[in-house]
mmCIF file of all heavy atoms in Angstrom:
data_model
loop_
_atom_site.group_PDB
_atom_site.id
_atom_site.type_symbol
_atom_site.label_atom_id
_atom_site.label_comp_id
_atom_site.label_asym_id
_atom_site.label_seq_id
_atom_site.Cartn_x
_atom_site.Cartn_y
_atom_site.Cartn_z
ATOM 1 N N GLY C 94 3.045 -17.671 5.937
ATOM 2 C CA GLY C 94 4.242 -18.416 5.547
ATOM 3 C C GLY C 94 4.200 -19.869 5.945
ATOM 4 O O GLY C 94 3.357 -20.317 6.718
ATOM 5 N N GLY C 95 5.162 -20.587 5.421
ATOM 6 C CA GLY C 95 5.302 -21.995 5.726
ATOM 7 C C GLY C 95 6.120 -22.231 6.982
ATOM 8 O O GLY C 95 6.483 -23.344 7.301
ATOM 9 N N GLN C 96 6.445 -21.160 7.693
ATOM 10 C CA GLN C 96 7.274 -21.286 8.876
ATOM 11 C C GLN C 96 6.460 -21.630 10.113
ATOM 12 O O GLN C 96 6.972 -21.626 11.206
ATOM 13 C CB GLN C 96 8.034 -19.979 9.123
ATOM 14 C CG GLN C 96 8.892 -19.559 7.955
ATOM 15 C CD GLN C 96 9.325 -18.118 8.091
ATOM 16 O OE1 GLN C 96 8.966 -17.418 9.027
ATOM 17 N NE2 GLN C 96 10.105 -17.659 7.139
ATOM 18 N N MET C 97 5.172 -21.904 9.924
ATOM 19 C CA MET C 97 4.336 -22.237 11.075
ATOM 20 C C MET C 97 4.813 -23.571 11.652
ATOM 21 O O MET C 97 5.130 -24.493 10.917
ATOM 22 C CB MET C 97 2.878 -22.353 10.661
ATOM 23 C CG MET C 97 2.271 -21.066 10.259
ATOM 24 S SD MET C 97 0.510 -21.300 10.227
ATOM 25 C CE MET C 97 -0.009 -19.779 9.571
ATOM 26 N N GLN C 98 4.856 -23.625 12.944
ATOM 27 C CA GLN C 98 5.324 -24.832 13.602
ATOM 28 C C GLN C 98 4.169 -25.453 14.367
ATOM 29 O O GLN C 98 3.246 -24.770 14.801
ATOM 30 C CB GLN C 98 6.461 -24.486 14.556
ATOM 31 C CG GLN C 98 7.641 -23.874 13.834
ATOM 32 C CD GLN C 98 8.722 -23.442 14.807
ATOM 33 O OE1 GLN C 98 8.572 -23.540 16.011
ATOM 34 N NE2 GLN C 98 9.813 -22.954 14.262
ATOM 35 N N LEU C 99 4.256 -26.762 14.521
ATOM 36 C CA LEU C 99 3.245 -27.446 15.319
ATOM 37 C C LEU C 99 3.406 -27.007 16.766
ATOM 38 O O LEU C 99 4.513 -26.901 17.275
ATOM 39 C CB LEU C 99 3.418 -28.954 15.203
ATOM 40 C CG LEU C 99 3.154 -29.533 13.815
ATOM 41 C CD1 LEU C 99 3.476 -31.026 13.811
ATOM 42 C CD2 LEU C 99 1.713 -29.312 13.414
ATOM 43 N N THR C 100 2.312 -26.723 17.395
ATOM 44 C CA THR C 100 2.368 -26.254 18.774
ATOM 45 C C THR C 100 1.470 -27.128 19.626
ATOM 46 O O THR C 100 0.556 -27.784 19.132
ATOM 47 C CB THR C 100 1.900 -24.786 18.880
ATOM 48 O OG1 THR C 100 0.585 -24.688 18.342
ATOM 49 C CG2 THR C 100 2.831 -23.852 18.123
ATOM 50 N N SER C 101 1.727 -27.116 20.898
ATOM 51 C CA SER C 101 0.881 -27.892 21.801
ATOM 52 C C SER C 101 -0.457 -27.177 21.960
ATOM 53 O O SER C 101 -0.599 -26.008 21.609
ATOM 54 C CB SER C 101 1.577 -28.047 23.156
ATOM 55 O OG SER C 101 1.627 -26.803 23.811
ATOM 56 N N THR C 102 -1.413 -27.872 22.523
ATOM 57 C CA THR C 102 -2.747 -27.283 22.683
ATOM 58 C C THR C 102 -2.733 -26.146 23.688
ATOM 59 O O THR C 102 -3.624 -25.308 23.675
ATOM 60 C CB THR C 102 -3.760 -28.350 23.132
ATOM 61 O OG1 THR C 102 -3.264 -28.963 24.322
ATOM 62 C CG2 THR C 102 -3.971 -29.382 22.047
ATOM 63 N N ASP C 103 -1.718 -26.095 24.552
ATOM 64 C CA ASP C 103 -1.633 -25.027 25.553
ATOM 65 C C ASP C 103 -1.018 -23.750 24.995
ATOM 66 O O ASP C 103 -1.209 -22.684 25.541
ATOM 67 C CB ASP C 103 -0.778 -25.474 26.748
ATOM 68 C CG ASP C 103 -1.410 -26.644 27.481
ATOM 69 O OD1 ASP C 103 -2.585 -26.961 27.189
ATOM 70 O OD2 ASP C 103 -0.730 -27.232 28.336
ATOM 71 N N SER C 104 -0.259 -23.860 23.912
ATOM 72 C CA SER C 104 0.450 -22.687 23.415
ATOM 73 C C SER C 104 -0.453 -21.830 22.534
ATOM 74 O O SER C 104 -1.440 -22.294 21.980
ATOM 75 C CB SER C 104 1.696 -23.098 22.648
ATOM 76 O OG SER C 104 1.316 -23.823 21.504
ATOM 77 N N VAL C 105 -0.073 -20.586 22.399
ATOM 78 C CA VAL C 105 -0.824 -19.631 21.591
ATOM 79 C C VAL C 105 -0.406 -19.802 20.132
ATOM 80 O O VAL C 105 0.791 -19.817 19.824
ATOM 81 C CB VAL C 105 -0.527 -18.187 22.063
ATOM 82 C CG1 VAL C 105 -1.249 -17.184 21.206
ATOM 83 C CG2 VAL C 105 -0.898 -18.031 23.524
ATOM 84 N N PRO C 106 -1.356 -19.947 19.200
ATOM 85 C CA PRO C 106 -0.989 -20.102 17.789
ATOM 86 C C PRO C 106 -0.378 -18.806 17.250
ATOM 87 O O PRO C 106 -0.646 -17.725 17.779
ATOM 88 C CB PRO C 106 -2.314 -20.411 17.101
ATOM 89 C CG PRO C 106 -3.357 -19.883 18.018
ATOM 90 C CD PRO C 106 -2.791 -19.958 19.403
ATOM 91 N N PRO C 107 0.452 -18.913 16.200
ATOM 92 C CA PRO C 107 1.023 -17.702 15.622
ATOM 93 C C PRO C 107 -0.092 -16.771 15.166
ATOM 94 O O PRO C 107 -1.140 -17.224 14.710
ATOM 95 C CB PRO C 107 1.819 -18.204 14.415
ATOM 96 C CG PRO C 107 1.896 -19.678 14.555
ATOM 97 C CD PRO C 107 0.817 -20.111 15.483
ATOM 98 N N SER C 108 0.134 -15.477 15.299
ATOM 99 C CA SER C 108 -0.901 -14.521 14.910
ATOM 100 C C SER C 108 -0.299 -13.435 14.031
ATOM 101 O O SER C 108 0.908 -13.272 13.954
ATOM 102 C CB SER C 108 -1.535 -13.900 16.148
ATOM 103 O OG SER C 108 -0.573 -13.143 16.852
ATOM 104 N N ALA C 109 -1.182 -12.708 13.373
ATOM 105 C CA ALA C 109 -0.754 -11.572 12.559
ATOM 106 C C ALA C 109 -0.392 -10.425 13.488
ATOM 107 O O ALA C 109 -0.949 -10.291 14.574
ATOM 108 C CB ALA C 109 -1.877 -11.163 11.621
ATOM 109 N N LYS C 110 0.543 -9.605 13.030
ATOM 110 C CA LYS C 110 1.007 -8.491 13.855
ATOM 111 C C LYS C 110 1.217 -7.253 12.997
ATOM 112 O O LYS C 110 1.497 -7.348 11.813
ATOM 113 C CB LYS C 110 2.322 -8.854 14.534
ATOM 114 C CG LYS C 110 2.217 -9.998 15.525
ATOM 115 C CD LYS C 110 3.586 -10.373 16.069
ATOM 116 C CE LYS C 110 3.510 -11.480 17.079
ATOM 117 N NZ LYS C 110 2.891 -12.697 16.629
ATOM 118 N N ILE C 111 1.085 -6.118 13.657
ATOM 119 C CA ILE C 111 1.488 -4.847 13.056
ATOM 120 C C ILE C 111 2.655 -4.346 13.888
ATOM 121 O O ILE C 111 2.568 -4.272 15.111
ATOM 122 C CB ILE C 111 0.334 -3.821 13.058
ATOM 123 C CG1 ILE C 111 -0.767 -4.303 12.115
ATOM 124 C CG2 ILE C 111 0.848 -2.442 12.654
ATOM 125 C CD1 ILE C 111 -1.973 -3.408 12.043
ATOM 126 N N GLY C 112 3.744 -4.048 13.218
ATOM 127 C CA GLY C 112 4.930 -3.552 13.895
ATOM 128 C C GLY C 112 5.139 -2.082 13.588
ATOM 129 O O GLY C 112 4.883 -1.629 12.473
ATOM 130 N N VAL C 113 5.571 -1.338 14.581
ATOM 131 C CA VAL C 113 5.882 0.085 14.415
ATOM 132 C C VAL C 113 7.282 0.289 14.982
ATOM 133 O O VAL C 113 7.588 -0.206 16.066
ATOM 134 C CB VAL C 113 4.855 0.978 15.160
ATOM 135 C CG1 VAL C 113 5.222 2.447 15.025
ATOM 136 C CG2 VAL C 113 3.446 0.730 14.632
ATOM 137 N N SER C 114 8.125 0.989 14.247
ATOM 138 C CA SER C 114 9.480 1.214 14.738
ATOM 139 C C SER C 114 10.002 2.581 14.303
ATOM 140 O O SER C 114 9.611 3.102 13.265
ATOM 141 C CB SER C 114 10.423 0.116 14.245
ATOM 142 O OG SER C 114 10.573 0.158 12.853
ATOM 143 N N VAL C 115 10.884 3.129 15.130
ATOM 144 C CA VAL C 115 11.561 4.377 14.787
ATOM 145 C C VAL C 115 12.777 3.996 13.953
ATOM 146 O O VAL C 115 13.590 3.170 14.380
ATOM 147 C CB VAL C 115 11.989 5.151 16.054
ATOM 148 C CG1 VAL C 115 12.771 6.400 15.672
ATOM 149 C CG2 VAL C 115 10.772 5.511 16.893
ATOM 150 N N GLU C 116 12.883 4.570 12.759
ATOM 151 C CA GLU C 116 13.973 4.239 11.842
ATOM 152 C C GLU C 116 14.505 5.486 11.168
ATOM 153 O O GLU C 116 13.843 6.528 11.144
ATOM 154 C CB GLU C 116 13.488 3.247 10.786
ATOM 155 C CG GLU C 116 13.020 1.943 11.383
ATOM 156 C CD GLU C 116 12.616 0.917 10.337
ATOM 157 O OE1 GLU C 116 13.004 1.073 9.160
ATOM 158 O OE2 GLU C 116 11.925 -0.031 10.714
ATOM 159 N N ASP C 117 15.700 5.355 10.591
ATOM 160 C CA ASP C 117 16.274 6.451 9.815
ATOM 161 C C ASP C 117 15.433 6.653 8.570
ATOM 162 O O ASP C 117 15.173 5.693 7.824
ATOM 163 C CB ASP C 117 17.718 6.139 9.408
ATOM 164 C CG ASP C 117 18.667 6.175 10.588
ATOM 165 O OD1 ASP C 117 18.434 6.978 11.512
ATOM 166 O OD2 ASP C 117 19.642 5.402 10.584
ATOM 167 N N LEU C 118 15.014 7.872 8.322
ATOM 168 C CA LEU C 118 14.187 8.194 7.160
ATOM 169 C C LEU C 118 14.885 7.804 5.859
ATOM 170 O O LEU C 118 14.269 7.264 4.946
ATOM 171 C CB LEU C 118 13.845 9.692 7.172
ATOM 172 C CG LEU C 118 12.964 10.219 6.057
ATOM 173 C CD1 LEU C 118 11.633 9.484 6.018
ATOM 174 C CD2 LEU C 118 12.727 11.713 6.246
ATOM 175 N N ALA C 119 16.181 8.035 5.783
ATOM 176 C CA ALA C 119 16.933 7.745 4.564
ATOM 177 C C ALA C 119 16.970 6.255 4.234
ATOM 178 O O ALA C 119 17.153 5.878 3.073
ATOM 179 C CB ALA C 119 18.354 8.284 4.690
ATOM 180 N N SER C 120 16.791 5.390 5.225
ATOM 181 C CA SER C 120 16.876 3.949 4.985
ATOM 182 C C SER C 120 15.558 3.346 4.490
ATOM 183 O O SER C 120 15.531 2.188 4.069
ATOM 184 C CB SER C 120 17.310 3.226 6.262
ATOM 185 O OG SER C 120 16.273 3.255 7.222
ATOM 186 N N LEU C 121 14.476 4.107 4.523
ATOM 187 C CA LEU C 121 13.168 3.591 4.127
ATOM 188 C C LEU C 121 12.970 3.718 2.623
ATOM 189 O O LEU C 121 13.332 4.736 2.032
ATOM 190 C CB LEU C 121 12.056 4.320 4.871
ATOM 191 C CG LEU C 121 12.082 4.155 6.389
ATOM 192 C CD1 LEU C 121 10.992 4.999 7.029
ATOM 193 C CD2 LEU C 121 11.922 2.699 6.780
ATOM 194 N N PRO C 122 12.343 2.716 1.995
ATOM 195 C CA PRO C 122 12.151 2.777 0.545
ATOM 196 C C PRO C 122 11.140 3.834 0.096
ATOM 197 O O PRO C 122 11.271 4.408 -0.964
ATOM 198 C CB PRO C 122 11.653 1.374 0.195
ATOM 199 C CG PRO C 122 11.119 0.805 1.454
ATOM 200 C CD PRO C 122 11.856 1.478 2.575
ATOM 201 N N SER C 123 10.120 4.096 0.903
ATOM 202 C CA SER C 123 9.058 5.025 0.520
ATOM 203 C C SER C 123 8.227 5.313 1.764
ATOM 204 O O SER C 123 8.218 4.520 2.694
ATOM 205 C CB SER C 123 8.173 4.389 -0.547
ATOM 206 O OG SER C 123 6.987 5.110 -0.708
ATOM 207 N N LEU C 124 7.520 6.423 1.746
ATOM 208 C CA LEU C 124 6.631 6.694 2.874
ATOM 209 C C LEU C 124 5.281 5.999 2.703
ATOM 210 O O LEU C 124 4.554 5.808 3.657
ATOM 211 C CB LEU C 124 6.438 8.199 3.058
ATOM 212 C CG LEU C 124 7.672 8.970 3.512
ATOM 213 C CD1 LEU C 124 7.339 10.437 3.708
ATOM 214 C CD2 LEU C 124 8.271 8.394 4.784
ATOM 215 N N ASP C 125 4.944 5.614 1.460
ATOM 216 C CA ASP C 125 3.667 4.945 1.216
ATOM 217 C C ASP C 125 3.830 3.921 0.090
ATOM 218 O O ASP C 125 3.718 4.249 -1.088
ATOM 219 C CB ASP C 125 2.591 5.968 0.873
ATOM 220 C CG ASP C 125 1.187 5.375 0.881
ATOM 221 O OD1 ASP C 125 1.046 4.139 0.911
ATOM 222 O OD2 ASP C 125 0.229 6.158 0.855
ATOM 223 N N VAL C 126 4.111 2.686 0.449
ATOM 224 C CA VAL C 126 4.361 1.621 -0.510
ATOM 225 C C VAL C 126 3.133 1.345 -1.373
ATOM 226 O O VAL C 126 3.239 1.181 -2.581
ATOM 227 C CB VAL C 126 4.798 0.328 0.228
ATOM 228 C CG1 VAL C 126 4.900 -0.841 -0.721
ATOM 229 C CG2 VAL C 126 6.122 0.565 0.931
ATOM 230 N N ALA C 127 1.956 1.310 -0.776
ATOM 231 C CA ALA C 127 0.738 0.992 -1.523
ATOM 232 C C ALA C 127 0.460 2.037 -2.599
ATOM 233 O O ALA C 127 0.019 1.698 -3.698
ATOM 234 C CB ALA C 127 -0.456 0.875 -0.592
ATOM 235 N N ALA C 128 0.718 3.305 -2.305
ATOM 236 C CA ALA C 128 0.495 4.358 -3.304
ATOM 237 C C ALA C 128 1.419 4.149 -4.498
ATOM 238 O O ALA C 128 1.008 4.334 -5.648
ATOM 239 C CB ALA C 128 0.722 5.734 -2.690
ATOM 240 N N GLU C 129 2.655 3.759 -4.246
ATOM 241 C CA GLU C 129 3.581 3.496 -5.349
ATOM 242 C C GLU C 129 3.112 2.323 -6.187
ATOM 243 O O GLU C 129 3.203 2.351 -7.409
ATOM 244 C CB GLU C 129 4.992 3.233 -4.819
ATOM 245 C CG GLU C 129 5.701 4.494 -4.401
ATOM 246 C CD GLU C 129 7.162 4.251 -4.038
ATOM 247 O OE1 GLU C 129 7.632 3.093 -4.089
ATOM 248 O OE2 GLU C 129 7.825 5.244 -3.716
ATOM 249 N N LYS C 130 2.593 1.286 -5.542
ATOM 250 C CA LYS C 130 2.097 0.122 -6.288
ATOM 251 C C LYS C 130 0.875 0.495 -7.125
ATOM 252 O O LYS C 130 0.706 0.009 -8.230
ATOM 253 C CB LYS C 130 1.780 -1.027 -5.345
ATOM 254 C CG LYS C 130 3.032 -1.655 -4.759
ATOM 255 C CD LYS C 130 2.718 -2.851 -3.909
ATOM 256 C CE LYS C 130 3.972 -3.313 -3.229
ATOM 257 N NZ LYS C 130 4.365 -4.643 -3.504
ATOM 258 N N LYS C 131 0.010 1.372 -6.596
ATOM 259 C CA LYS C 131 -1.155 1.818 -7.355
ATOM 260 C C LYS C 131 -0.718 2.600 -8.584
ATOM 261 O O LYS C 131 -1.281 2.431 -9.664
ATOM 262 C CB LYS C 131 -2.068 2.678 -6.479
ATOM 263 C CG LYS C 131 -2.848 1.890 -5.461
ATOM 264 C CD LYS C 131 -3.701 2.801 -4.600
ATOM 265 C CE LYS C 131 -4.389 2.023 -3.490
ATOM 266 N NZ LYS C 131 -5.105 2.896 -2.560
ATOM 267 N N ILE C 132 0.291 3.446 -8.429
ATOM 268 C CA ILE C 132 0.801 4.219 -9.561
ATOM 269 C C ILE C 132 1.400 3.286 -10.605
ATOM 270 O O ILE C 132 1.189 3.461 -11.808
ATOM 271 C CB ILE C 132 1.830 5.271 -9.081
ATOM 272 C CG1 ILE C 132 1.120 6.349 -8.269
ATOM 273 C CG2 ILE C 132 2.596 5.871 -10.250
ATOM 274 C CD1 ILE C 132 2.040 7.283 -7.517
ATOM 275 N N GLU C 133 2.119 2.277 -10.147
ATOM 276 C CA GLU C 133 2.711 1.305 -11.077
ATOM 277 C C GLU C 133 1.618 0.568 -11.851
ATOM 278 O O GLU C 133 1.707 0.402 -13.065
ATOM 279 C CB GLU C 133 3.570 0.313 -10.294
ATOM 280 C CG GLU C 133 4.277 -0.698 -11.158
ATOM 281 C CD GLU C 133 5.115 -1.657 -10.342
ATOM 282 O OE1 GLU C 133 5.690 -1.246 -9.325
ATOM 283 O OE2 GLU C 133 5.181 -2.840 -10.734
ATOM 284 N N ARG C 134 0.554 0.120 -11.145
ATOM 285 C CA ARG C 134 -0.554 -0.566 -11.813
ATOM 286 C C ARG C 134 -1.246 0.360 -12.812
ATOM 287 O O ARG C 134 -1.620 -0.058 -13.907
ATOM 288 C CB ARG C 134 -1.561 -1.090 -10.796
ATOM 289 C CG ARG C 134 -1.137 -2.365 -10.116
ATOM 290 C CD ARG C 134 -2.292 -3.038 -9.373
ATOM 291 N NE ARG C 134 -2.986 -2.189 -8.438
ATOM 292 C CZ ARG C 134 -2.683 -2.064 -7.151
ATOM 293 N NH1 ARG C 134 -1.688 -2.735 -6.640
ATOM 294 N NH2 ARG C 134 -3.388 -1.276 -6.372
ATOM 295 N N LEU C 135 -1.416 1.629 -12.433
ATOM 296 C CA LEU C 135 -2.024 2.603 -13.329
ATOM 297 C C LEU C 135 -1.196 2.758 -14.596
ATOM 298 O O LEU C 135 -1.727 2.721 -15.712
ATOM 299 C CB LEU C 135 -2.181 3.954 -12.624
ATOM 300 C CG LEU C 135 -2.665 5.112 -13.482
ATOM 301 C CD1 LEU C 135 -4.085 4.858 -13.959
ATOM 302 C CD2 LEU C 135 -2.584 6.417 -12.712
ATOM 303 N N ALA C 136 0.106 2.908 -14.435
ATOM 304 C CA ALA C 136 0.986 3.072 -15.603
ATOM 305 C C ALA C 136 0.921 1.837 -16.509
ATOM 306 O O ALA C 136 0.878 1.962 -17.739
ATOM 307 C CB ALA C 136 2.414 3.322 -15.138
#
Side-chain angles (χ1 to χ4, degrees):
Q96 303 165 358
M97 292 195 186
Q98 299 176 357
L99 294 175
T100 57
S101 69
T102 55
D103 296 349
S104 64
V105 178
S108 64
K110 296 175 179 57
I111 293 179
V113 178
S114 66
V115 176
E116 299 184 18
D117 289 327
L118 181 58
S120 70
L121 298 176
S123 166
L124 292 182
D125 192 347
V126 173
E129 283 187 359
K130 289 184 187 239
K131 286 178 185 174
I132 291 168
E133 183 180 325
R134 281 194 307 269
L135 174 65

